[in-house]
Amino acid sequence: HASSRALLSKASSIAKKATAKHHFNVTRSLTSVPSPPDGSFKDGKPTLQYAKALPKTFASMTNEQVLQFAEMEIPEACRECIIRDIMVVDQIEYDDAMKIFKKIAETNRRGMQLYALPFYTGFGAAFTAGIFSVPLVFHLDMVNWFNDKFVTAEMPPPEDVVTALEVGSASWGWMEPILGQVSFFLLCMQFARSQLQNLGVRPYFNWQRNMRAEYLVTQFPEYDAEFLRNYSKIDKIVGPNEMSD
């Protein structure tokens, strides 16, 4: 039952990727197909015998089904393609091929933290800057420290910087240009990024993904290169995909 639920969950994610037009075309084509002559359907509904043949795991799917799901970048299907290719190349059974696939998966994870470093660095820098921007504007001790080190402006008398808002009013004279310029810079970068996305361009992400894929192919040249590339590219940087059977 757990594997069935996992399979249904994957099917749901596939359905979300389809556009309304594709969904209409698929539905129309399915409704136009006559019932199979072998008695699998009765009055437009599946029979018990046919329902028992429903594949509940990716391992039980046909080659055509696996290839179709792999084209949709479903991790389990990409894994299944490699396993079946291993079975053919090495002339071994499924369980033995799974052991070799696990080695392939481990190889694909090598150096992943290094590739993820720019993303972690960007996140850490943005998060840290956001947190420290608040006390640099409203906390008197932090404002005085920053002023002494980098600004050297004259502060109001102590009785005029009692509340956080008064401190913010005093520090805003030098914090406004900094925060304003950073905000405008980030706005421009965000707009530039959105245009790259419209063009389908992700320079660093695509580069590191292609590098990992080619490395995996060179490490296992005896197996189908396209299957290895597809699996490598759908593997997440932050951690391996949680895959069902």
Side-chain angles (χ1 to χ4, degrees):
H1 294 296
S3 59
S4 299
R5 287 193 298 270
L7 191 57
L8 287 174
S9 176
K10 289 295 180 182
S12 176
S13 66
I14 295 170
K16 291 179 181 178
K17 292 183 178 181
T19 62
K21 180 179 179 181
H22 290 163
H23 183 270
F24 173 77
N25 290 335
V26 170
T27 303
R28 183 176 61 180
S29 63
L30 287 176
T31 55
S32 64
V33 175
S35 299
D38 58 359
S40 299
F41 285 83
K42 183 178 180 181
D43 298 329
K45 301 175 183 178
T47 62
L48 175 60
Q49 180 181 2
Y50 186 70
K52 290 180 179 179
L54 175 69
K56 297 182 179 180
T57 63
F58 282 86
S60 62
M61 291 183 179
T62 65
N63 290 336
E64 291 76 13
Q65 291 172 325
V66 169
L67 287 172
Q68 183 178 4
F69 285 131
E71 188 67 23
M72 296 178 179
E73 299 182 352
I74 305 301
E76 288 87 346
C78 295
R79 174 194 63 187
E80 197 66 27
C81 286
I82 295 178
I83 293 175
R84 298 187 187 191
D85 186 51
I86 294 172
M87 294 172 65
V88 174
V89 173
D90 295 347
Q91 292 295 294
I92 56 179
E93 294 299 326
Y94 190 92
D95 291 339
D96 294 328
M98 176 63 80
K99 296 177 182 178
I100 297 179
F101 169 78
K102 290 181 179 179
K103 295 180 181 178
I104 293 176
E106 291 174 358
T107 302
N108 191 57
R109 300 296 307 171
R110 291 178 186 171
M112 195 69 82
Q113 293 300 318
L114 182 61
Y115 288 118
L117 185 60
F119 298 110
Y120 285 121
T121 302
F123 167 77
F127 184 81
T128 302
I131 294 297
F132 276 96
S133 66
V134 177
L136 283 173
V137 175
F138 298 107
H139 190 270
L140 182 59
D141 292 338
M142 287 286 289
V143 168
N144 284 330
W145 173 83
F146 189 86
N147 182 37
D148 293 339
K149 295 292 183 180
F150 303 104
V151 184
T152 66
E154 183 177 355
M155 287 287 291
E159 61 271 16
D160 290 340
V161 285
V162 176
T163 67
L165 293 179
E166 290 177 337
V167 175
S169 178
S171 64
W172 197 243
W174 61 79
M175 291 302 296
E176 181 181 18
I178 299 174
L179 297 179
Q181 176 57 38
V182 171
S183 299
F184 181 73
F185 175 79
L186 292 177
L187 179 64
C188 292
M189 293 299 101
Q190 185 178 18
F191 179 77
R193 179 176 180 269
S194 67
Q195 301 315 306
L196 288 177
Q197 288 179 331
N198 291 336
L199 295 171
V201 178
R202 300 181 66 183
Y204 175 75
F205 180 83
N206 290 337
W207 173 82
Q208 61 84 24
R209 189 173 63 168
N210 291 332
M211 287 286 291
R212 289 190 290 108
E214 294 306 320
Y215 172 76
L216 190 64
V217 170
T218 59
Q219 294 301 303
F220 298 92
E222 64 271 28
Y223 303 125
D224 188 270
E226 193 63 26
F227 290 160
L228 293 174
R229 289 192 186 98
N230 289 342
Y231 173 78
S232 178
K233 290 180 179 180
I234 57 94
D235 201 7
K236 295 185 297 185
I237 297 179
V238 70
N241 291 295
E242 295 182 3
M243 294 188 285
S244 58
D245 294 335

